Amino acid sequence: METAVIGAVIAAGAAIVAAVVSWFGAFQNRRTADRDHAWDRFTWSVSQREEDRAYDISATVLRRLETVAWWSKKDRRLASRALRRRSTPRSTERPEGDD
């Protein structure tokens, strides 16, 4: 009788461990997919040029990526820098004397 109880406890413990490991794997898989999707959005928004029709949308995407909580701090800072770089006016005029 004691052997059956010990076996049942071991089986229950193994089932709980398996469930936790499975849940953690699914959580990591989803988080990886989310980060990959965010990175795809980031690279798309950075590749848009000012003359493109999607340029305003890409700035909005960068603004949203600045505040994504599950993205790493480095990635959020990268989005912030890309947005700042995008919002600084570029001078298209050549300096005088460069003729």
Side-chain angles (χ1 to χ4, degrees):
M1 177 92 166
E2 289 179 19
T3 308
V5 171
I6 291 172
V9 168
I10 290 173
I16 290 170
V17 168
V20 168
V21 168
S22 177
W23 174 83
F24 186 72
F27 175 77
Q28 287 295 96
N29 190 29
R30 177 177 163 82
R31 191 169 183 184
T32 300
D34 287 344
R35 290 192 74 213
D36 186 51
H37 180 70
W39 185 254
D40 288 343
R41 289 172 42 193
F42 174 78
T43 55
W44 172 83
S45 63
V46 171
S47 69
Q48 299 303 309
R49 304 226 182 268
E50 200 167 344
E51 58 271 3
D52 293 341
R53 290 180 3 176
Y55 184 77
D56 292 336
I57 296 170
S58 65
T60 302
V61 168
L62 286 173
R63 246 182 257 110
R64 299 271 194 247
L65 288 175
E66 283 182 307
T67 61
V68 173
W70 43 261
W71 223 23
S72 71
K73 280 186 176 182
K74 285 182 178 181
D75 291 340
R76 288 192 307 255
R77 274 184 286 183
L78 187 60
S80 295
R81 276 190 255 139
L83 189 60
R84 276 195 310 267
R85 187 177 206 186
R86 179 169 288 226
S87 61
T88 55
R90 294 185 190 134
S91 176
T92 56
E93 298 175 16
R94 295 173 60 187
E96 291 182 30
D98 282 354
D99 294 1

